[in-house]
Short mmCIF file of all heavy atoms in Angstrom, two decimals:
data_model
loop_
_atom_site.label_atom_id
_atom_site.label_comp_id
_atom_site.label_asym_id
_atom_site.label_seq_id
_atom_site.Cartn_x
_atom_site.Cartn_y
_atom_site.Cartn_z
N ARG A 416 -7.46 -2.48 -44.84
CA ARG A 416 -7.11 -1.23 -44.19
C ARG A 416 -8.36 -0.29 -44.08
O ARG A 416 -9.19 -0.26 -45.01
CB ARG A 416 -6.12 -0.41 -45.01
CG ARG A 416 -4.79 -1.01 -45.15
CD ARG A 416 -4.20 -0.44 -46.43
NE ARG A 416 -2.76 -0.57 -46.35
CZ ARG A 416 -1.92 0.49 -46.18
NH1 ARG A 416 -2.38 1.78 -46.19
NH2 ARG A 416 -0.64 0.31 -46.06
N ARG A 423 -7.83 6.36 -39.85
CA ARG A 423 -6.86 5.26 -39.68
C ARG A 423 -5.64 5.77 -38.98
O ARG A 423 -5.09 5.20 -38.04
CB ARG A 423 -6.50 4.67 -41.03
CG ARG A 423 -5.44 3.52 -40.92
CD ARG A 423 -5.26 2.82 -42.27
NE ARG A 423 -4.39 1.66 -42.14
CZ ARG A 423 -3.04 1.71 -42.47
NH1 ARG A 423 -2.56 2.84 -42.91
NH2 ARG A 423 -2.34 0.65 -42.32
N SER A 424 -5.21 6.97 -39.45
CA SER A 424 -4.03 7.59 -38.85
C SER A 424 -4.22 8.01 -37.40
O SER A 424 -3.40 7.71 -36.50
CB SER A 424 -3.61 8.77 -39.70
OG SER A 424 -2.71 9.60 -39.03
N SER A 428 -2.34 6.42 -34.13
CA SER A 428 -1.70 7.30 -33.16
C SER A 428 -2.17 6.97 -31.80
O SER A 428 -1.36 6.91 -30.83
CB SER A 428 -2.02 8.77 -33.40
OG SER A 428 -1.40 9.14 -34.66
N ARG A 432 -0.07 5.34 -28.65
CA ARG A 432 0.06 6.09 -27.40
C ARG A 432 -0.39 5.20 -26.21
O ARG A 432 0.31 5.21 -25.17
CB ARG A 432 -0.83 7.35 -27.56
CG ARG A 432 -0.34 8.37 -26.53
CD ARG A 432 -0.86 9.72 -26.83
NE ARG A 432 -0.46 10.64 -25.83
CZ ARG A 432 0.76 11.18 -25.77
NH1 ARG A 432 1.66 10.94 -26.73
NH2 ARG A 432 1.16 11.94 -24.81
N HIS A 434 -0.30 2.03 -26.06
CA HIS A 434 0.80 1.02 -25.95
C HIS A 434 1.92 1.65 -25.10
O HIS A 434 2.36 0.97 -24.14
CB HIS A 434 1.22 0.64 -27.29
CG HIS A 434 2.08 -0.55 -27.39
ND1 HIS A 434 2.31 -1.30 -28.55
CD2 HIS A 434 2.76 -1.28 -26.45
CE1 HIS A 434 3.05 -2.29 -28.31
NE2 HIS A 434 3.38 -2.36 -27.06
N THR A 439 4.72 2.39 -19.87
CA THR A 439 5.21 3.24 -18.80
C THR A 439 4.66 2.94 -17.49
O THR A 439 5.38 3.06 -16.48
CB THR A 439 4.93 4.75 -19.28
OG1 THR A 439 5.42 4.95 -20.55
CG2 THR A 439 5.58 5.72 -18.30
N ARG A 442 6.85 0.25 -16.33
CA ARG A 442 8.19 0.72 -15.90
C ARG A 442 8.12 1.42 -14.52
O ARG A 442 8.88 1.21 -13.70
CB ARG A 442 8.73 1.72 -16.96
CG ARG A 442 10.08 2.24 -16.64
CD ARG A 442 10.76 2.83 -17.85
NE ARG A 442 10.11 4.08 -18.21
CZ ARG A 442 10.27 5.36 -17.77
NH1 ARG A 442 11.16 5.47 -16.75
NH2 ARG A 442 9.58 6.34 -18.15
N THR A 454 9.89 9.13 -11.61
CA THR A 454 9.36 10.36 -12.13
C THR A 454 8.16 10.05 -13.04
O THR A 454 7.31 10.89 -13.26
CB THR A 454 10.39 11.22 -12.89
OG1 THR A 454 10.98 10.36 -13.87
CG2 THR A 454 11.48 11.74 -11.99
N TYR A 461 -1.78 12.72 -15.83
CA TYR A 461 -1.92 13.58 -17.04
C TYR A 461 -2.00 12.84 -18.31
O TYR A 461 -2.93 12.97 -19.14
CB TYR A 461 -0.71 14.58 -17.06
CG TYR A 461 -0.56 15.34 -18.33
CD1 TYR A 461 -1.50 16.35 -18.58
CD2 TYR A 461 0.49 15.19 -19.19
CE1 TYR A 461 -1.36 17.16 -19.72
CE2 TYR A 461 0.68 15.94 -20.29
CZ TYR A 461 -0.28 16.88 -20.58
OH TYR A 461 -0.17 17.69 -21.71
N ASN A 519 1.79 21.75 -13.55
CA ASN A 519 2.41 22.62 -12.59
C ASN A 519 3.33 21.73 -11.64
O ASN A 519 4.43 22.06 -11.27
CB ASN A 519 1.42 23.30 -11.69
CG ASN A 519 0.78 24.49 -12.46
OD1 ASN A 519 1.20 24.84 -13.57
ND2 ASN A 519 -0.28 25.02 -11.86
N PRO A 529 11.58 27.25 -11.16
CA PRO A 529 11.23 28.17 -10.07
C PRO A 529 9.72 28.43 -10.12
O PRO A 529 9.06 28.37 -11.17
CB PRO A 529 11.99 29.46 -10.46
CG PRO A 529 12.56 29.21 -11.79
CD PRO A 529 12.50 27.75 -12.12
N MET B 1099 13.10 -7.27 -14.17
CA MET B 1099 12.69 -7.14 -15.58
C MET B 1099 13.47 -6.07 -16.30
O MET B 1099 14.35 -5.39 -15.69
CB MET B 1099 11.16 -6.80 -15.63
CG MET B 1099 10.30 -7.98 -15.44
SD MET B 1099 9.47 -8.51 -16.91
CE MET B 1099 8.35 -7.20 -17.28
N LYS B 1363 16.16 27.88 -16.03
CA LYS B 1363 16.48 28.27 -14.63
C LYS B 1363 17.49 29.40 -14.61
O LYS B 1363 17.57 30.18 -13.63
CB LYS B 1363 17.03 27.11 -13.83
CG LYS B 1363 16.02 26.01 -13.64
CD LYS B 1363 16.61 24.77 -12.96
CE LYS B 1363 15.61 23.61 -13.00
NZ LYS B 1363 16.28 22.35 -12.47
N GLN B 1376 4.58 30.37 -16.59
CA GLN B 1376 3.84 29.12 -16.65
C GLN B 1376 3.65 28.65 -18.14
O GLN B 1376 3.66 27.45 -18.40
CB GLN B 1376 2.44 29.34 -16.06
CG GLN B 1376 1.83 27.98 -15.77
CD GLN B 1376 0.42 28.14 -15.19
OE1 GLN B 1376 -0.40 28.92 -15.74
NE2 GLN B 1376 0.14 27.46 -14.11
N GLN B 1379 6.69 26.64 -18.45
CA GLN B 1379 6.59 25.52 -17.53
C GLN B 1379 5.70 24.36 -18.13
O GLN B 1379 6.15 23.24 -18.07
CB GLN B 1379 6.03 25.91 -16.19
CG GLN B 1379 6.99 26.77 -15.38
CD GLN B 1379 6.43 27.01 -13.97
OE1 GLN B 1379 5.23 26.87 -13.72
NE2 GLN B 1379 7.35 27.44 -13.03
N HIS B 1380 4.56 24.71 -18.61
CA HIS B 1380 3.64 23.70 -19.09
C HIS B 1380 4.24 23.00 -20.31
O HIS B 1380 4.11 21.80 -20.49
CB HIS B 1380 2.24 24.28 -19.39
CG HIS B 1380 1.47 24.45 -18.19
ND1 HIS B 1380 0.08 24.63 -18.22
CD2 HIS B 1380 1.81 24.37 -16.84
CE1 HIS B 1380 -0.32 24.73 -16.94
NE2 HIS B 1380 0.70 24.57 -16.09
N HIS B 1384 5.08 19.15 -20.21
CA HIS B 1384 4.53 18.27 -21.24
C HIS B 1384 5.61 17.38 -21.92
O HIS B 1384 5.45 16.18 -22.06
CB HIS B 1384 3.69 19.03 -22.28
CG HIS B 1384 3.20 18.21 -23.36
ND1 HIS B 1384 2.15 17.29 -23.24
CD2 HIS B 1384 3.64 17.99 -24.65
CE1 HIS B 1384 1.89 16.65 -24.36
NE2 HIS B 1384 2.86 17.07 -25.24
N GLU B 1388 6.22 13.32 -22.21
CA GLU B 1388 6.48 12.66 -23.50
C GLU B 1388 7.79 11.86 -23.39
O GLU B 1388 7.89 10.65 -23.89
CB GLU B 1388 6.64 13.63 -24.64
CG GLU B 1388 5.31 14.29 -24.99
CD GLU B 1388 4.29 13.32 -25.57
OE1 GLU B 1388 4.59 12.43 -26.32
OE2 GLU B 1388 3.06 13.57 -25.24
N GLU B 1390 8.98 10.46 -20.77
CA GLU B 1390 8.71 9.27 -19.98
C GLU B 1390 8.20 8.14 -20.85
O GLU B 1390 8.53 6.94 -20.72
CB GLU B 1390 7.62 9.52 -18.88
CG GLU B 1390 8.06 10.51 -17.79
CD GLU B 1390 9.14 9.96 -16.80
OE1 GLU B 1390 9.54 8.78 -17.00
OE2 GLU B 1390 9.50 10.74 -15.87
N SER B 1394 10.06 4.30 -21.86
CA SER B 1394 9.47 2.98 -21.69
C SER B 1394 9.46 2.24 -23.02
O SER B 1394 9.83 0.97 -23.01
CB SER B 1394 8.02 3.07 -21.25
OG SER B 1394 7.91 4.11 -20.23
N LYS B 1468 3.82 4.37 -38.56
CA LYS B 1468 2.44 4.35 -38.15
C LYS B 1468 1.65 3.39 -39.01
O LYS B 1468 0.79 2.58 -38.62
CB LYS B 1468 1.86 5.75 -38.30
CG LYS B 1468 1.11 6.23 -37.12
CD LYS B 1468 0.24 7.36 -37.61
CE LYS B 1468 0.43 8.66 -36.91
NZ LYS B 1468 -0.60 9.63 -37.25
N ASP B 1469 1.87 3.47 -40.35
CA ASP B 1469 1.24 2.65 -41.27
C ASP B 1469 1.53 1.18 -41.01
O ASP B 1469 0.70 0.30 -40.99
CB ASP B 1469 1.73 3.03 -42.73
CG ASP B 1469 1.12 2.03 -43.76
OD1 ASP B 1469 -0.14 2.00 -43.90
OD2 ASP B 1469 1.93 1.29 -44.35
N TYR B 1471 2.58 -0.18 -38.08
CA TYR B 1471 1.91 -0.56 -36.88
C TYR B 1471 0.47 -0.88 -37.11
O TYR B 1471 -0.03 -1.93 -36.68
CB TYR B 1471 2.03 0.63 -35.88
CG TYR B 1471 1.62 0.27 -34.47
CD1 TYR B 1471 2.58 -0.07 -33.50
CD2 TYR B 1471 0.30 0.34 -34.08
CE1 TYR B 1471 2.16 -0.38 -32.15
CE2 TYR B 1471 -0.08 0.07 -32.75
CZ TYR B 1471 0.83 -0.29 -31.80
OH TYR B 1471 0.44 -0.56 -30.49
N TYR B 1477 -5.48 -3.31 -39.14
CA TYR B 1477 -6.40 -2.30 -39.70
C TYR B 1477 -5.71 -1.40 -40.62
O TYR B 1477 -5.92 -0.33 -40.87
CB TYR B 1477 -7.10 -1.57 -38.52
CG TYR B 1477 -6.21 -0.82 -37.55
CD1 TYR B 1477 -5.90 0.51 -37.71
CD2 TYR B 1477 -5.75 -1.52 -36.43
CE1 TYR B 1477 -5.10 1.11 -36.76
CE2 TYR B 1477 -4.97 -0.90 -35.51
CZ TYR B 1477 -4.65 0.44 -35.62
OH TYR B 1477 -3.90 1.06 -34.72
#
Side-chain angles (χ1 to χ4, degrees):
Chain A
R416 295 156 156 248
R423 179 171 185 262
S424 165
S428 294
R432 201 164 178 79
H434 194 163
T439 306
R442 181 166 66 84
T454 53
Y461 170 69
N519 285 350
Chain B
M1099 280 254 293
K1363 295 175 186 171
Q1376 196 180 51
Q1379 286 186 345
H1380 279 194
H1384 175 73
E1388 293 293 326
E1390 295 288 3
S1394 320
K1468 230 202 236 187
D1469 175 65
Y1471 188 96
Y1477 56 93

